[in-house]
Amino acid sequence: MLLIRCPWCGMDRPEIEFRHAGAAHITRPGPPDRVSDEEWAAFLYLRDNPKGRVAERWRHVHGCGRFFNAVRDTVTDVFVVTYKAGEPRPPETGPGESQPTEARP
Amino acid sequence: MKFSLFSLLHQGLTGNQGWQPQWRDPAPKPAYDVIIIGAGGHGLATAYYLAKEHGIRNVAVLEKGWLGGGNTGRNTTIIRSNYLWEESEALYEHSVKLWETLSHELNYNVMYSPRGVMMLAHSVHDVQVTKRHIHANRLAGIDNEWLTPEQAQEFCPILNISRDIRYPILGAALQRRGGVARHDAVAWGYARGADKLGVDIIQNCEVTAIRRDASGCVTGVETTRGPISARRIGVVAAGHTSVVMGMAGIRMPLESFPLQALVSEPVKPLMPCVVMSNTIHAYMSQSDKGELVIGAGTDQYTSYSQTGGLHISQHTLDAICELFPMTRRLRMLRNWGGIVDVTPDRSPIIGRTPVPGLFVNCGWGTGGFKATPGSGHVFAATIAREEPHPIAAPFTLERFTTGRLIDEAAAAAVAH
Ligand SMILES: Cc1cc2nc3c(=O)[nH]c(=O)nc-3n(C[C@H](O)[C@H](O)[C@H](O)COP(=O)(O)OP(=O)(O)OC[C@H]3O[C@@H](n4cnc5c(N)ncnc54)[C@H](O)[C@@H]3O)c2cc1C
Ligand SMILES: [Zn+2]
């Protein structure tokens, strides 16, 4: 089980308090009548699904109930950082190689 | 060497010293007609049918680890064809038909055992959905029947049908032709068959790049064992498909999740069939060794860790103990995870890609073992003819743009 720091509560809490909510920073294209089928497909269905660092949304459903974002390494499952919804992805967490030396939580 | 009663007797009487390796361990050649990336069951079956049915024998299957070491060797081996939509019914039923004769076809015992797959209904909603499946299946000529709780218990006596449990059993669907097979034997049987027809299976050979010419067509791959050329490449990399397709600049409608299974200590035969519950995320059958083979759900987050959270297995064991009270004091021997590639509509993607010469077969997610023979069969035809096999035709990558989804997601959102 993952240990996740909710940036609103400021606490490390067990994963079962949280709900994963998919990839983060996906912008809905618009205006709708000028969006092509390809753009809708990319928005709805295409995902980077990286082996390495991913930016993703979480919700602290059994805590404060709020959404936030996280950068996590999908090989080690270690969280690099969590940050509040609406904030940009911290630049130093850009897509990078997995860091296998870090311990699993 | 052909396996037969005679060869078994002969080897038995001569101390079993004469068995030969089942496939070669060749070094990669500089070029092939077709390269298959991934030596799981689907990749090996593709190579086998390319050689057997289409006469394309100059084929390499490249595998980063050992053959069958991915999801093929990690799954709970449930085989059935009672899916909801006609496209899926055609695909999975094609596969079940091939399972029925596969041991003979390969001269290799894949231990296909059509012992019946029972899917439990625990709520009014479940009952309605299950009956809808049964009707749809019967219209398509696929066997599936409704059982009352008492009939379900008659078929599987260890089932707890008491009404006062957390998720009481309100009935079940039974596909009698469904069952299980021996996962390793499927990979080994196809590997042996393909190898004998001239296919090179190259293990410990990870594809690290896909090469293309100025017009965008594929020309080959870079691997940890050097560059290899081919004008046609089939990607059959399951959980790693997004990574491999990314090498050709293609983003996929896929996310990779850990999915777990576990086995108990071996016990005497106690259940005659497979029992699945989608609602409470538990699946169980008994292997010929006597171990209970138990499938759990996926983790909620994407990962390539090939392991899953312990609370996921525990949740499944809670359900198993309630459904099968006699298992409560059994010990679990081991658990493990595989990485499954999940599409938004929970149906696979089989066919061409925007890159000429590049084909993909993926998105089997939590339920592709059952499709191994059929998937390899239609994918081989698709690569050989460079146009989709009729059964594969609806399962294109374009469906996510056109909106023609094959939405099995509502049908079985977890493992199967
Ligand atoms: C725990 C669990 C339980 C399951 N239970 C069932 C079930 O009961 N019934 C069912 O029908 N399905 C089930 N499944 C799903 C099923 O296992 C898969 O859908 C199916 O086995 C996929 O087969 P494959 O050959 O495509 O993939 P794999 O066997 O995973 O093969 C893909 C191969 O590609 C290789 N590869 C990846 N990247 C590269 C690269 N860059 N270069 C070279 N090689 C590469 C991998 O090493 C791997 O060997 C289950 C899966 C899991 C994990
Ligand atoms: Zn919180």
Side-chain angles (χ1 to χ4, degrees):
Chain A
M1 187 179 309
L2 308 177
L3 204 54
I4 305 175
R5 168 162 289 255
C6 172
W8 302 103
C9 301
M11 276 189 286
D12 291 330
R13 305 295 302 169
E15 179 198 331
I16 46 171
E17 289 187 8
F18 298 85
R19 185 76 44 80
H20 185 259
H25 306 301
I26 295 177
T27 317
R28 186 187 176 93
D33 56 347
R34 264 184 268 144
V35 177
S36 68
D37 288 352
E38 285 71 21
E39 285 169 303
W40 281 126
F43 166 67
L44 288 168
Y45 301 128
L46 303 188
R47 295 293 176 264
D48 290 338
N49 194 24
K51 185 176 185 176
R53 287 179 176 181
V54 67
E56 61 192 7
R57 307 192 312 153
W58 286 86
R59 186 172 173 219
H60 196 181
V61 275
H62 299 297
C64 61
R66 304 182 77 171
F67 278 95
F68 60 92
N69 293 328
V71 174
R72 184 177 51 88
D73 187 312
T74 59
V75 178
T76 59
D77 291 338
V78 170
F79 283 87
V80 181
V81 64
T82 57
Y83 50 101
K84 293 173 180 168
E87 291 175 4
R89 177 175 177 159
E92 68 280 8
T93 68
E97 289 293 298
S98 153
Q99 307 287 325
T101 47
E102 292 177 57
R104 274 186 62 80
Chain B
M1 175 186 303
K2 191 165 170 2
F3 292 120
S4 64
L5 185 59
F6 174 76
S7 67
L8 205 60
L9 281 174
H10 176 75
Q11 290 296 336
L13 293 172
T14 54
N16 284 311
Q17 297 300 305
W19 297 114
Q20 299 296 315
Q22 304 288 297
W23 49 81
R24 297 162 298 130
D25 184 19
K29 292 193 284 186
Y32 292 90
D33 293 338
V34 177
I35 286 175
I36 301 296
I37 303 177
H42 289 228
L44 292 164
T46 305
Y48 173 79
Y49 292 114
L50 272 173
K52 169 96 191 297
E53 302 213 337
H54 305 281
I56 302 176
R57 297 180 173 208
N58 187 22
V59 175
V61 186
L62 309 181
E63 168 54 51
K64 74 180 163 79
W66 65 94
L67 71 86
N71 293 343
T72 299
R74 295 165 185 271
N75 81 95
T76 52
T77 78
I78 298 171
I79 296 171
R80 60 186 182 88
S81 61
N82 51 355
Y83 282 71
L84 183 62
W85 302 107
E86 284 170 14
E87 295 87 346
S88 320
E89 288 167 332
L91 179 61
Y92 291 100
E93 181 62 16
H94 181 52
S95 213
V96 167
K97 294 228 170 79
L98 291 172
W99 280 114
E100 285 166 350
T101 55
L102 193 60
S103 293
H104 284 282
E105 164 77 21
L106 296 175
N107 176 235
Y108 203 90
N109 188 0
V110 301
M111 295 164 71
Y112 172 55
S113 163
R115 57 183 69 177
V117 173
M118 188 191 287
M119 300 172 79
L120 303 177
H122 300 277
S123 62
V124 173
H125 173 78
D126 277 4
V127 171
Q128 290 169 345
V129 169
T130 306
K131 287 189 172 170
R132 182 180 178 205
H133 273 69
I134 291 172
H135 295 316
N137 294 151
R138 294 174 82 115
L139 284 173
I142 291 170
D143 74 301
N144 199 7
E145 61 198 87
W146 174 253
L147 303 183
T148 63
E150 292 70 26
Q151 289 169 325
Q153 196 193 42
E154 206 175 308
F155 197 79
C156 183
I158 65 170
L159 211 52
N160 178 6
I161 57 166
S162 109
R163 300 297 300 234
D164 58 1
I165 61 177
R166 175 68 183 84
Y167 296 101
I169 295 169
L170 302 186
L174 176 66
Q175 185 175 29
R176 291 180 193 269
R177 286 163 62 244
V180 291
R182 174 76 204 280
H183 50 7
D184 292 329
V186 176
W188 298 338
Y190 275 120
R192 171 173 172 267
D195 177 88
K196 213 162 37 182
L197 293 169
V199 171
D200 282 358
I201 301 164
I202 301 159
Q203 304 181 68
N204 298 309
C205 180
E206 178 170 357
V207 172
T208 53
I210 293 177
R211 289 187 314 201
R212 298 160 68 182
D213 65 18
S215 65
C217 303
V218 298
T219 59
V221 295
E222 306 285 340
T223 77
T224 47
R225 297 180 67 174
I228 308 174
S229 305
R231 306 294 305 190
R232 273 181 275 180
I233 298 174
V235 178
V236 201
H240 279 78
T241 303
S242 297
V243 176
V244 177
M245 294 299 281
M247 296 172 192
I250 299 178
R251 285 178 88 213
M252 295 295 288
L254 290 173
E255 289 187 303
S256 297
F257 294 95
L259 179 67
Q260 291 179 71
L262 51 166
V263 290
S264 74
E265 57 189 329
V267 288
K268 287 187 176 171
L270 56 79
M271 66 188 302
C273 61
V274 181
V275 175
M276 315 175 49
S277 167
N278 280 327
T279 303
I280 53 177
H281 303 182
Y283 313 88
M284 188 161 92
S285 65
Q286 190 167 18
S287 74
D288 291 349
K289 268 190 288 184
E291 299 159 331
L292 295 176
V293 180
I294 298 168
T298 54
D299 281 280
Q300 52 173 336
Y301 50 85
T302 61
S303 179
Y304 290 83
S305 61
Q306 226 161 235
T307 180
L310 190 58
H311 61 292
I312 303 284
S313 312
Q314 191 180 345
H315 175 66
T316 292
L317 292 176
D318 289 347
I320 293 289
C321 290
E322 193 173 69
L323 291 177
F324 311 102
M326 78 176 303
T327 62
R328 280 184 185 162
R329 293 172 62 197
L330 272 182
R331 282 163 297 193
M332 293 299 134
L333 278 190
R334 56 183 186 277
N335 76 328
W336 62 87
I339 299 301
V340 298
D341 46 330
V342 177
T343 57
D345 61 1
R346 302 297 188 280
S347 289
I349 299 166
I350 314 168
R352 288 180 296 204
T353 71
V355 172
L358 188 67
F359 300 80
V360 70
N361 183 354
C362 67
W364 293 96
T366 58
F369 175 75
K370 63 177 69 65
T372 304
S375 157
H377 189 257
V378 299
F379 192 47
T382 302
I383 294 175
R385 300 183 196 134
E386 304 203 41
E387 63 176 49
H389 183 282
I391 290 178
F395 294 90
T396 57
L397 193 50
E398 292 91 72
R399 74 175 186 270
F400 297 98
T401 308
T402 62
R404 286 237 4 110
L405 303 189
I406 303 162
D407 191 4
E408 296 287 343
V414 208
H416 47 147

